[in-house]
């Protein structure tokens, strides 16, 4: 059931989506107007949330620790950012719905996700913020993130490792620019670290997700330095939590250098 993955660098994309080169038009809108879209939005989120609870708790065996840390923000309807390690194909899109308010959350995602059959057409457009492929799209993403954070009071989920590595138990390096949004918006952020533990009655491991934070950008630093400081804090927190994994379900072997576990 487990699998061995071979890679050159920790930035390799090991899993391809159904349409890896899918591209959205430059005028694509995340926040559509009209009563029809609002109804559709509520229906999809409700159904997705029901699936998320069943899938994450009954199939993935997810246990979440630290949800109380984001409770004040949820109650006050204030926006915040959550950074997680990208290790679950379906779990990463759906498990956050069992942690944050499912009607006030958005996730940064590569445009290839919009090319996934069914999910890309009906589910992802409701809560997905597409990462830009050109300057115009990148500017729109910045505006959309501001809208989600400030106007919607939403949780914005970001997987800074970018690429999915299934059941990987370590934290891959990510650029300091991944923390651009909380630094620019002077916003709080949390970490959501997925760890894996051996299950007594099946080969596939159970999951414990740890929520830590809030972390804030240092206002005394310039933007670049603040990004670097916050990125280090977020990364180190996730690394420390990842050490609570005690079961490697999949194997990862570097084909032109040292094994990542060395």
């Amino acid at each position: 059931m487990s699998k061995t993955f071979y890679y050159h660098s920790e930035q390799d994309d090991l899993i391809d989506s159904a349409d890896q080169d899918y591209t959205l038009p430059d005028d694509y809108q995340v926040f559509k107007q009209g009563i029809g879209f609002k109804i559709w939005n509520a229906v999809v989120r409700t159904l997705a949330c029901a699936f998320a609870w069943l899938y994450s708790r009954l199939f993935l065996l997810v246990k979440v620790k630290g949800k109380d840390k984001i409770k004040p923000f949820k109650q006050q309807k204030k926006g915040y950012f959550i950074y997680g390690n990208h290790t679950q194909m379906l779990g990463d899109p759906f498990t956050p719905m069992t942690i944050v308010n499912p009607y006030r959350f958005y996730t940064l995602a590569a445009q290839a996700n919009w090319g996934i059959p069914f999910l890309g057409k009906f589910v992802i457009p409701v809560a997905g913020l597409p990462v830009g492929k050109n300057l115009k799209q990148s500017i729109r993403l910045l505006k959309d993130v501001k809208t989600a954070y400030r106007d919607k009071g939403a949780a914005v989920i970001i997987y800074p490792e970018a690429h999915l590595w299934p059941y990987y138990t370590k934290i891959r390096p990510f650029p300091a620019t991944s923390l651009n949004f909380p630094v620019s918006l002077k916003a709080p952020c949390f970490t959501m670290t997925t760890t894996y533990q051996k299950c007594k009655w099946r080969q596939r491991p159970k999951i414990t997700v740890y929520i830590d934070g809030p972390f804030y950008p240092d206002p005394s630093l310039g933007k670049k330095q603040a990004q670097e400081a916050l990125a280090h804090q977020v990364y180190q927190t996730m690394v420390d939590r990842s050490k609570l994994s005690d079961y490697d379900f999949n194997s990862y072997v570097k084909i032109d250098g040292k094994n990542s576990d060395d």
Side-chain angles (χ1 to χ4, degrees), residues 222-243:
K223 183 176 180 179
K224 182 179 180 181
Q225 289 73 28
Q227 287 179 353
E228 293 173 348
L230 190 59
H232 175 75
Q233 191 174 19
V234 166
Y235 177 76
Q236 194 57 53
T237 298
M238 295 173 70
V239 167
D240 291 342
R241 286 298 192 187
S242 72
K243 295 175 182 177

Side-chain angles (χ1 to χ4, degrees), residues 39-49 97 103 122-124 126:
I39 293 174
W40 175 252
N41 187 301
V43 170
V44 171
R45 285 177 182 266
T46 299
L47 294 175
C49 185
M97 298 189 75
Y103 298 96
F122 297 107
V123 180
I124 293 174
V126 168

Side-chain angles (χ1 to χ4, degrees), residues 68-130:
D68 57 299
K69 296 170 184 175
I70 64 175
K71 188 175 181 180
F73 296 87
K74 292 169 64 177
Q75 291 176 333
Q76 298 171 31
K77 298 182 180 179
K78 291 184 177 180
Y80 51 96
F81 291 82
I82 296 183
Y83 287 82
N85 50 325
H86 198 7
T87 62
Q88 284 292 318
M89 182 174 293
L90 281 180
D92 288 348
F94 286 102
T95 295
M97 298 189 75
T98 70
I99 300 173
V100 305
N101 185 325
Y103 298 96
R104 291 203 312 274
F105 96 101
Y106 294 86
T107 302
L108 261 69
Q111 293 186 31
N113 289 282
W114 273 254
I116 299 174
F118 186 78
L119 288 179
K121 184 175 181 180
F122 297 107
V123 180
I124 293 174
V126 168
L129 299 174

Side-chain angles (χ1 to χ4, degrees), residues 129-140:
L129 299 174
V131 175
K133 288 188 174 183
N134 55 48
L135 181 59
K136 185 175 181 178
Q137 292 181 348
S138 297
I139 293 174
R140 178 175 287 277

Side-chain angles (χ1 to χ4, degrees), residues 3-28:
K3 185 175 181 180
T4 298
F5 291 92
Y6 298 91
Y7 67 98
H8 291 279
S9 76
E10 291 174 311
Q11 285 71 48
D12 285 357
D13 193 352
L14 304 183
I15 305 294
D16 290 334
S17 65
D19 190 348
Q20 192 70 14
D21 297 321
Y22 189 88
T23 300
L24 293 167
D26 288 348
D27 60 355
Y28 175 80

